[in-house]
Amino acid sequence: MPGFESLIVITAGAILGLGMIAGIAAWCWKGWLELKRAELGIGPVAAGPPVSGRIDVADLKERVRKLEAIAAGVDY
């Protein structure tokens, strides 16, 4: 028969494990709800502009730099 200290350790481990499982389940549930909101188009999904918009802006900035270099007579 296990001692009293062993039962306390086993119980504490079980409670800690259940708490971790409950936390992970809550995190997954929140993610699933966000996914469904995004599919339905409810509420803000992303904080910033879409990635393609940022890529387009970066491409335009690079083109402007090249044109400025050509106008200044620098071989780019």
Side-chain angles (χ1 to χ4, degrees), residues 9-68:
V9 170
I10 291 170
T11 304
I15 291 172
L16 181 64
L18 284 174
M20 289 175 59
I21 290 171
I24 291 170
W27 178 68
C28 291
W29 178 253
K30 180 182 174 187
W32 185 82
L33 287 176
E34 289 177 9
L35 174 67
K36 292 302 171 183
R37 284 188 187 114
E39 287 177 354
L40 294 173
I42 301 172
V45 177
V51 175
S52 62
R54 288 191 295 247
I55 292 172
D56 291 339
V57 171
D59 186 46
L60 289 174
K61 285 182 181 180
E62 182 63 29
R63 288 182 185 185
V64 168
R65 280 189 213 113
K66 287 181 181 180
L67 289 173
E68 287 174 346

